[in-house]
Amino acid sequence: ITRKERRSEVRVTYVSNYLNRHQIPFCEAMHAKLEGQFRFVQTEPMEKERQDLGWKLDGSYEYVIEFEKDPEEAKKWIEESDAVLIGGTSDRYIQKRLDEEKLVFRIEETIFKNGIKDVLNLHKWNMIYKCHYRYRNKPVYMLCASANLEKELRHMDLYKGKMLRWGYFPETREYDLDALIKAKRDHLEQSGVVEVVWCARFIWWKHPEYVIALARQWRDKRLPIHATMIGGGAMYDDVRRTIQVEKLEKHITLTGPIQQEEVRKYMENAQIFLGTSGREEGWGAVLNEAMNSACIPVVHEKMGAAGYMIRNEVNGYTYAALTSCESIIESLADKLQRENLQDVSKRAYESVIQEWNAEGRATLLLKRIEELVNR
């Protein structure tokens, strides 16, 4: 049997810091499609902060190799696979493979996460040369886990013809879409209040304070809009105190950190998903989950996932400034009170079901790997 005929025997290894719930659906799809010829090499334990936020995984996964526990097996898979994916960990795990010019796919969100500070940082440019420029003519490809990264690479004339649009692909659920949208509508008609869901860590670059600013406007204008803020973090107590002091309880509810199943229930009830992270948000997998739950997304245009997943005013809305966000949400809330915006909700849902999901991206990537391997 020739190599070109042995498509099912392509072997792929994914090297990353640790397996998390956003990666599991993709890994499960790869494991199934490759009939066991797939491994995930985990290079470090998960941080306690993320475990406390519900990221800790229950159970084991047969395709996971912990590098510290079985370095020889991990190295064997890394060196002998037809293709290796790497993201979120050091190049030292794949340096031998890079030196031997074997097929590698990098997974990155952004290079200039800190904007102009990174552009002016000599250390950053040394890293760009070491990891990217020196491999321009080698079999090293890029899975762009944000629209921002694709733009950066094009400006630097890197990975020309060697980029795939990528992202993070949490669990995709198939709903009875008409029933889901009807339930949202019934909830709105019963309460008379438009529900907005916000889900993130309470840290500065996720901008939970933006929700406070919006809620002040809803209170002052007496608008029937309510936001549920899901998550915890360094700014949580400050946000909680501000809500109490400014008497915003009617417009904001805090849940604290909750399990993923509960998060999805809030999304299934909400009409709008609000994303306040900017370019610091490499991707933002919560957007996948919200759109999969048929929420109308309203997110900052620089959020990594926005440029790929959202077609403005078709399956969601993007904004550049908080004032624009305020106008969009108030306009949507007014329309939702008077008419059914199911077309936008449906298109948001269909974007995930038809394109931005683990199964589809695994198929796309394997097709590309097979093309390169079977040249």
Side-chain angles (χ1 to χ4, degrees):
I1 300 176
T2 67
R3 180 68 187 179
K4 289 188 177 181
E5 292 172 332
R6 297 198 314 238
R7 291 167 60 93
S8 65
E9 292 186 16
V10 172
R11 176 180 281 199
V12 179
T13 297
Y14 185 171
V15 185
S16 190
N17 51 359
Y18 47 73
L19 186 67
N20 65 59
R21 63 183 178 83
H22 298 329
Q23 296 163 323
I24 289 173
F26 170 72
C27 291
E28 293 285 331
M30 292 289 283
H31 185 56
K33 290 176 184 295
L34 293 177
E35 301 176 350
Q37 293 299 301
F38 171 80
R39 291 294 183 273
F40 182 98
V41 173
Q42 179 169 299
T43 62
E44 63 188 71
M46 185 181 293
E47 310 102 306
K48 185 177 185 303
E49 179 189 10
R50 290 193 182 274
Q51 292 187 37
D52 292 343
L53 290 172
W55 283 52
K56 187 176 181 179
L57 304 178
D58 295 323
S60 60
Y61 297 85
E62 61 180 301
Y63 49 79
V64 173
I65 303 172
E66 295 184 48
F67 194 93
E68 290 186 359
K69 292 183 178 180
D70 198 346
E72 293 308 312
E73 182 70 4
K75 289 176 184 177
K76 181 180 177 181
W77 273 86
I78 292 169
E79 293 170 10
E80 296 180 3
S81 289
D82 294 288
V84 164
L85 321 181
I86 183 166
T89 194
S90 170
D91 270 9
R92 69 184 179 88
Y93 296 101
I94 62 162
Q95 193 57 58
K96 182 178 178 183
R97 188 177 182 91
L98 290 169
D99 293 342
E100 294 176 352
E101 299 187 11
K102 294 180 179 179
L103 184 59
V104 169
F105 287 83
R106 293 188 180 279
I107 304 174
E108 294 197 21
E109 299 171 353
T110 180
I111 292 176
F112 301 112
K113 186 170 186 175
N114 298 310
I116 192 65
K117 290 182 180 179
D118 281 343
V119 173
L120 299 176
N121 187 326
L122 181 59
H123 176 74
K124 176 67 68 173
W125 284 101
N126 286 336
M127 181 278 294
I128 291 170
Y129 172 77
K130 180 180 177 182
C131 297
H132 305 294
Y133 272 106
R134 68 189 292 196
Y135 298 110
R136 290 180 75 182
N137 300 316
K138 309 299 182 183
V140 180
Y141 292 73
M142 181 65 78
L143 303 181
C144 297
S146 84
N148 297 328
L149 176 63
E150 183 177 341
K151 292 176 184 176
E152 292 167 355
L153 295 175
R154 291 189 187 282
H155 286 150
M156 292 186 288
D157 196 28
L158 283 169
Y159 296 96
K160 188 174 182 180
K162 298 167 71 177
M163 288 187 276
L164 277 75
R165 292 188 170 190
W166 206 246
Y168 290 93
F169 311 105
E171 177 192 4
T172 298
R173 300 185 181 183
E174 292 196 22
Y175 292 94
D176 179 333
L177 185 55
D178 290 333
L180 176 60
I181 291 176
K182 183 180 184 302
K184 290 175 182 280
R185 187 70 194 169
D186 291 345
H187 189 268
L188 171 58
E189 290 178 351
Q190 290 168 11
S191 68
V193 176
V194 172
E195 289 291 340
V196 177
V197 64
W198 181 95
C199 182
R201 284 178 290 156
F202 283 63
I203 55 178
W204 74 265
W205 57 269
K206 302 279 188 176
H207 296 296
E209 74 278 9
Y210 287 3
V211 188
I212 296 287
L214 292 169
R216 290 191 189 105
Q217 296 298 316
W218 304 339
R219 177 199 60 196
D220 295 345
K221 296 178 182 179
R222 300 178 183 275
L223 298 176
I225 307 174
H226 173 267
T228 297
M229 298 182 72
I230 301 171
M235 296 176 66
Y236 183 87
D237 288 339
D238 287 341
V239 170
R240 179 177 54 80
R241 282 191 292 268
T242 302
I243 291 170
Q244 293 173 344
V245 169
E246 300 198 26
K247 302 188 186 311
L248 295 171
E249 292 92 344
K250 183 178 178 181
H251 295 283
I252 299 179
T253 297
L254 303 181
T255 69
I258 59 176
Q259 294 299 312
Q260 185 58 25
E261 193 60 37
E262 295 180 79
V263 174
R264 291 300 289 252
K265 288 179 181 177
Y266 278 105
M267 290 178 172
E268 289 161 7
N269 285 328
Q271 289 82 40
I272 296 170
F273 166 75
L274 172 61
T276 53
S277 303
R279 67 172 296 111
E280 295 87 0
E281 185 74 77
W283 178 257
V286 68
L287 178 60
N288 300 59
E289 295 166 335
M291 293 175 73
N292 184 211
S293 302
C295 293
I296 299 172
V298 179
V299 304
H300 195 283
E301 65 181 9
K302 294 297 184 182
M303 179 188 284
Y308 282 167
M309 292 191 69
I310 295 183
R311 290 168 288 152
N312 199 28
E313 300 185 24
V314 176
N315 67 345
Y317 297 82
T318 60
Y319 64 89
L322 187 59
T323 52
S324 299
C325 176
E326 178 187 332
S327 298
I328 291 168
I329 290 179
E330 289 181 13
S331 176
L332 283 174
D334 180 59
K335 290 178 181 178
L336 283 163
Q337 293 283 3
R338 296 184 289 104
E339 58 187 281
N340 192 343
L341 294 181
Q342 65 177 358
D343 287 349
V344 182
S345 295
K346 283 185 174 181
R347 286 192 289 264
Y349 173 82
E350 289 165 355
S351 296
V352 176
I353 292 294
Q354 296 174 5
E355 183 176 9
W356 292 101
N357 60 76
E359 183 74 20
R361 291 290 133 169
T363 299
L364 182 70
L365 178 60
L366 283 175
K367 181 180 178 182
R368 185 62 172 139
I369 290 172
E370 288 160 358
E371 288 171 352
L372 294 169
V373 168
N374 295 327
R375 278 180 175 176

